[in-house]
């Protein structure tokens, strides 16, 4: 979704802002623009489509100056057009604003401002903000006061950055609610601002985070922070452990493939330093806010998430119920937040799973639970993200930045983190004895090398992609712990190849989807050797009996499955609770190669955004 970058310092702002916007392309956008202060004037450059169009425009019409802001827009209000592209200006062209989020009351504000004589040039909700700032500047003669007063008029979540010729020596930023983060980056005689770390990582790893209802005034020497009432605030400066190299493609054609191939390492990174093998225990430093009594008193966990992370939440139910014997209810964040869930603050815990830690529905679900006194545990990738900051306990994935919009390595790390959480709760509650723990830890330790073996097969996916890329529908079937994997396989295919795909619990096939089966719809069946393997075999036979095509994911050496399927991809034998980490990888690779064969924009699929910061 929309991206924000800002710079103030001694270097040319437009190239730093443009490069920052390029690094935010993965968030998803449809147009891009920037504004630079040059010789006391604001120069605006905006274009529809890819950042390269903006770069071409800048090459023809350079904008030179040392202060600038830029934005990638993902349209919400008003079509995709140059006029609707950010930055937006006030009536006189003295103030510019970029925004992430939605102004829910923009219609009423726009009418008031129109009645007061303001001139609007776009159909966006954002434009009301810049006119409000203009109005309050002329009443108070001070930009930070104007921004504060403007922000207090807005309903909905917004992250805003403003720049003005009236006060050219600083940038102003404001955050209202959860419209994605705002990080302020510290350099040497230069400062940065961005919605996401990757935009500024090559310049600095030292950042402060803007919280809800806070304002930052940023000069080239530093930043001052204020509450919405104008009270000064102290902020910590954090050092982010990600290095700039991890956000580069490193020779891969796509980030998605790089991230798929990184999975042996990313799984090692989530378990690293969390296992005490001698003692046969799991250490989760991030959960120390939960006392032994509190962990014992948990009677129910509510797992909430969206998209791929929701599939991880579905899987966490299997893992936590098995390992810690605590019932887990799974909800979409967007449903949980609006259904007035029954929560008991003494016995319930909310488990939030999110790669970005900025997904607006997930943050709202956290607020719903916290409002009812329920404590939260977050499994999150992005360090310092809002979910991590709101949670009482955090398990970081340590997967490094995930740039491909289609989540891959974050998903498998989420599964490993949920397994760790299940082990930890099982150990702390006395469910798992030392001997069981040792075996379960050993299983986990073996996982990265098994992942490496799955990744070592390459050719099969290209062959399958070549054969089936023209199909318009796919069905994915799995049972038990592999049902969420069937859902995930289908989601991966549809989001990057635009092929319709459905995931189904295999036992449900005969209650409807079987009517779809014919020689044009491949059925991907996850049929590894476990307690439901024979049931999967029967389902595969039912598909074949109707002329359907079966692509099976089976355990190495299972010839019977291979004989029943048209194609088989083998995965090594692993502990049943960890096998989903292995079975999902072939589905990621299948989706990837089909999308490449179709010539799709794999890393930035149409209409999608990496962090979904609007409802
Ligand atoms: C994953 O491939 C998707 N692009 C999407 O479903 C994603 O998982 C979802 O938006 C949740 O994001 P989060 O993990 O950052 O909360």
């Amino acid at each position: 979704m929309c991206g924000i970058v800002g710079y103030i310092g001694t270097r040319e702002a437009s190239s730093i802002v443009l490069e920052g916007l390029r690094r935010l392309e993965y968030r998803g956008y449809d147009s891009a623009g920037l504004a630079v202060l040059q010789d006391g004037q604001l120069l605006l450059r905006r274009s529809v489509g890819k950042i390269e169009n903006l770069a071409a425009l800048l090459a023809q019409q350079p904008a030179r100056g040392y202060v600038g802001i830029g934005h990638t827009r993902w349209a919400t209000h008003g079509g995709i057009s140059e006029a609707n592209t950010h930055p937006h200006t006030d009536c006189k062209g003295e103030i510019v604003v970029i925004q992430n989020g939605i102004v829910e009351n923009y219609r009423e504000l726009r009418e008031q401002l129109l009645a007061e004589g303001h001139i609007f040039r776009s159909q966006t909700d954002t434009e009301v903000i810049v006119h409000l700032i203009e109005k309050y500047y002329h009443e108070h003669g001070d930009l930070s006061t104007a921004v504060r007063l403007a922000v207090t008029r807005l309903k909905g979540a917004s992250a805003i950055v403003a720049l003005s010729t009236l006060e050219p020596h600083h940038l102003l930023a404001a955050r209202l609610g959860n419209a994605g983060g705002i990080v302020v980056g510290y350099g040497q005689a230069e400062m940065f601002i961005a919605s996401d770390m990757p935009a500024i990582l090559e310049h600095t790893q030292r950042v402060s985070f803007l919280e809800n209802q806070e304002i930052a005034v940023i000069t080239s020497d530093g930043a001052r922070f204020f509450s919405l009432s104008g009270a000064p605030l102290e902020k910590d400066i954090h050092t982010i452990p990600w290095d700039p190299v991890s956000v580069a493609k490193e020779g891969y054609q796509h980030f998605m493939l790089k991230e798929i191939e990184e999975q042996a390492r990313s799984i090692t990174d989530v378990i690293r330093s969390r296992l005490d093998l001698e003692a046969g225990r799991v250490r989760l430093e991030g959960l120390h806010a939960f006392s032994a009594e509190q962990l014992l008193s948990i009677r129910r966990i509510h797992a909430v998430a969206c998209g791929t992370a929701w599939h991880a939440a579905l899987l966490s139910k299997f893992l936590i119920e098995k390992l810690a014997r605590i019932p887990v209810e799974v909800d979409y964040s967007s449903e949980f937040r609006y259904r007035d869930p029954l929560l008991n603050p003494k016995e319930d815990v909310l488990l939030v799973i999110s790669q970005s830690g900025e997904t607006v529905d997930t943050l709202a679900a956290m607020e719903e639970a916290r409002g009812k006194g329920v404590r939260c545990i977050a499994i999150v990738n992005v360090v310092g993200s809002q979910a991590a900051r709101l949670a009482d306990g955090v398990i970081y994935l340590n997967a490094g930045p995930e740039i491909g919009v289609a989540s891959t390595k974050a998903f498998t790390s989420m599964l490993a983190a949920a397994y760790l959480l299940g082990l930890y709760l099982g150990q702390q509650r006395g469910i798992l004895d030392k001997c069981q723990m040792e075996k379960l830890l050993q299983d986990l330790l073996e996982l990265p090398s098994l992942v490496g073996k799955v990744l070592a097969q390459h050719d099969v996916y290209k062959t399958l992609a070549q054969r089936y890329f023209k199909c318009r529908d796919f069905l994915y079937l799995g049972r038990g712990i592999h049902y969420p994997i069937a859902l995930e396989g289908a989601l991966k295919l549809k989001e990057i190849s635009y092929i319709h795909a459905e995931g189904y619990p295999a036992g449900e096939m005969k209650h409807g989807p079987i009517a779809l089966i014919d020689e044009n719809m491949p059925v991907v069946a996850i049929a590894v050797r476990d307690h439901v393997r024979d049931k999967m075999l029967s389902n595969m036979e039912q598909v074949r009996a109707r002329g359907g095509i079966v692509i099976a994911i089976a355990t190495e050496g299972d010839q019977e499955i291979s004989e029943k399927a048209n194609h088989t991809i083998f995965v090594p034998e692993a502990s049943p609770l960890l096998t989903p980490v292995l079975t999902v990888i072939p589905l990621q690779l299948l989706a990837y190669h089909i999308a490449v064969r179709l010539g799709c924009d794999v890393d930035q699929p149409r209409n999608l955004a990496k962090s979904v910061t609007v409802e």
Side-chain angles (χ1 to χ4, degrees):
M1 228 139 258
C2 308
I4 283 176
V5 187
Y7 174 79
I8 181 162
T10 51
R11 291 189 278 164
E12 225 171 63
S14 60
S15 51
I16 291 174
V17 169
L18 193 68
E19 198 42 47
L21 292 179
R22 280 201 181 99
R23 295 189 189 282
L24 294 186
E25 280 194 291
Y26 71 95
R27 285 172 62 93
Y29 69 104
D30 44 56
S31 46
L34 55 73
V36 170
L37 206 54
Q38 180 184 313
D39 303 328
Q41 269 202 320
L42 279 169
L43 301 185
L44 225 62
R45 303 286 181 262
R46 304 184 295 186
S47 66
V48 167
K50 292 283 177 191
I51 305 267
E52 287 325 306
N53 301 348
L54 178 62
L57 181 65
L58 271 168
Q60 284 166 10
Q61 300 170 28
R64 301 222 156 85
Y66 307 111
V67 194
I69 59 176
H71 188 264
T72 45
R73 176 175 186 249
W74 189 87
T76 58
H77 296 66
I80 302 166
S81 66
E82 193 197 317
N84 288 337
T85 304
H86 301 212
H88 293 287
T89 59
D90 67 327
C91 299
K92 294 191 194 144
E94 292 173 334
I95 306 168
V96 280
V97 160
I98 54 180
Q99 179 224 9
N100 287 358
I102 289 177
V103 181
E104 288 171 3
N105 55 336
Y106 84 98
R107 278 191 198 83
E108 133 201 355
L109 291 171
R110 188 177 165 113
E111 301 226 324
Q112 284 168 18
L113 288 158
L114 279 169
E116 289 171 20
H118 288 264
I119 300 155
F120 278 77
R121 301 182 185 94
S122 78
Q123 289 88 49
T124 64
D125 53 337
T126 308
E127 199 180 344
V128 298
I129 304 172
V130 73
H131 290 289
L132 281 173
I133 296 174
E134 176 183 26
K135 165 186 161 81
Y136 290 119
Y137 185 85
H138 289 294
E139 286 173 22
H140 297 270
D142 172 65
L143 200 59
S144 72
T145 307
V147 169
R148 270 196 304 113
L149 293 174
V151 167
T152 52
R153 299 284 309 276
L154 308 179
K155 291 206 177 113
S158 281
I160 296 157
V161 179
L163 166 63
S164 174
T165 57
L166 302 162
E167 294 184 14
H169 304 299
H170 48 227
L171 293 171
L172 282 106
R175 177 171 182 167
L176 196 62
N178 296 319
I182 287 270
V183 284
V184 176
Y186 294 76
Q188 297 290 335
E190 58 184 359
M191 292 287 288
F192 307 86
I193 189 155
S195 49
D196 290 73
M197 273 308 296
I200 57 174
L201 208 51
E202 68 172 305
H203 305 292
T204 182
Q205 286 169 256
R206 296 175 64 237
V207 298
S208 292
F209 299 105
L210 206 60
E211 303 286 351
N212 184 18
Q213 308 226 324
E214 289 182 358
I215 296 219
V217 179
I218 303 153
T219 64
S220 55
D221 300 324
R224 286 174 300 133
F225 298 90
F226 302 91
S227 68
L228 270 197
S229 62
L233 300 167
E234 287 298 317
K235 282 258 166 211
D236 291 335
I237 300 179
H238 305 266
T239 301
I240 298 299
W242 294 354
D243 63 294
V245 175
S246 59
V247 292
K249 273 195 202 147
E250 292 172 24
Y252 284 91
Q253 194 187 347
H254 296 104
F255 278 109
M256 184 180 176
L257 184 61
K258 173 180 177 246
E259 288 156 7
I260 290 173
E261 299 220 339
E262 273 172 6
Q263 289 178 105
R265 195 181 75 206
S266 51
I267 287 168
T268 308
D269 288 343
V270 69
I271 61 184
R272 190 200 302 277
S273 77
R274 285 171 170 155
L275 310 187
D276 182 342
L277 294 173
E278 250 168 57
R281 293 180 75 77
V282 167
R283 276 194 310 254
L284 292 179
E285 309 278 341
L287 297 193
H288 278 175
F290 288 82
S291 66
E293 293 72 44
Q294 281 171 334
L295 291 176
L296 269 176
S297 66
I298 300 174
R299 293 279 165 276
R300 195 164 52 147
I301 292 177
H302 301 263
V304 297
C306 305
T308 285
W310 182 75
H311 300 151
L314 272 183
L315 242 146
S316 78
K317 176 179 173 68
F318 288 87
L319 301 174
I320 295 170
E321 290 190 348
K322 184 79 182 169
L323 297 169
R325 310 305 293 160
I326 301 171
V328 179
E329 279 184 22
V330 185
D331 252 306
Y332 289 109
S333 307
S334 53
E335 292 295 319
F336 181 88
R337 63 181 291 192
Y338 287 122
R339 75 171 166 79
D340 190 16
L342 294 172
L343 298 172
N344 180 337
K346 293 204 181 80
E347 300 183 340
D348 292 2
V349 163
L350 187 79
L351 171 62
V352 162
I353 305 184
S354 174
Q355 189 287 128
S356 63
E358 299 289 352
T359 302
V360 72
D361 284 323
T362 299
L363 295 176
M366 283 180 94
E367 270 160 19
E368 170 73 22
R370 281 158 52 91
K372 290 179 174 169
V374 170
R375 291 162 70 87
C376 301
I377 295 174
I379 293 179
V380 174
N381 192 33
V382 177
V383 178
S385 57
Q386 186 72 354
R389 283 178 283 148
L390 283 177
D392 302 280
V394 184
I395 305 174
Y396 277 118
L397 298 179
N398 301 333
E402 189 181 64
I403 306 292
V405 164
S407 188
T408 52
K409 66 173 179 175
F411 178 68
T412 47
S413 292
M414 284 168 186
L415 303 189
Y419 184 87
L420 282 173
L421 177 61
L423 288 180
Y424 182 74
L425 293 172
Q427 138 199 315
Q428 299 300 103
R429 292 161 64 92
I431 304 289
L432 300 169
D433 62 28
K434 187 159 183 274
C435 182
Q436 288 168 310
M437 281 297 288
E438 278 170 0
K439 163 80 178 79
L440 292 160
L441 294 185
Q442 195 51 41
D443 291 342
L444 188 56
L445 273 179
E446 284 165 15
L447 191 60
S449 82
L450 299 177
V451 167
K453 281 190 188 164
V454 179
L455 288 168
Q457 316 170 44
H458 285 288
D459 299 342
V460 58
Y461 304 104
K462 279 193 186 145
T463 314
L464 286 171
Q466 175 59 29
R467 182 116 181 222
Y468 296 115
F469 75 100
K470 286 192 181 141
C471 295
R472 295 318 303 152
D473 304 279
F474 274 67
L475 182 63
Y476 287 71
L477 299 177
R479 281 177 181 259
I481 202 163
H482 290 105
Y483 159 53
I485 297 299
L487 295 179
E488 176 60 8
L491 179 66
K492 284 288 89 80
L493 185 69
K494 68 186 135 193
E495 60 181 347
I496 60 169
S497 72
Y498 320 139
I499 293 173
H500 168 247
E502 278 192 63
Y504 246 84
E508 280 290 299
M509 182 182 67
K510 57 191 170 295
H511 299 289
I514 200 163
L516 296 170
I517 289 175
D518 63 16
E519 67 288 357
N520 297 317
M521 186 178 71
V523 176
V524 180
I526 306 156
V528 288
R529 216 177 267 131
D530 61 11
H531 67 295
V532 287
R533 177 254 186 212
D534 292 350
K535 309 281 169 207
M536 282 304 305
L537 188 66
S538 308
N539 295 131
M540 286 167 53
E541 286 184 286
Q542 289 157 12
V543 173
R544 292 302 306 273
R546 284 156 185 82
I549 309 152
V550 175
I551 302 170
I553 314 296
T555 308
E556 253 166 25
D558 194 338
Q559 285 314 315
E560 197 182 1
I561 293 281
S562 162
E563 278 156 25
K564 287 279 157 2
N566 300 72
H567 312 274
T568 309
I569 302 166
F570 288 109
V571 295
E573 185 120 41
S575 133
L577 291 181
L578 293 171
T579 310
V581 174
L582 305 183
T583 53
V584 77
I585 294 170
L587 308 190
Q588 296 169 344
L589 283 165
L590 181 64
Y592 172 78
H593 285 285
I594 290 176
V596 170
R597 184 65 191 74
L598 284 166
C600 296
D601 189 348
V602 172
D603 283 335
Q604 293 155 41
R606 69 184 182 204
N607 305 336
L608 287 178
K610 185 66 183 164
S611 33
V612 181
T613 50
V614 296
E615 276 192 61

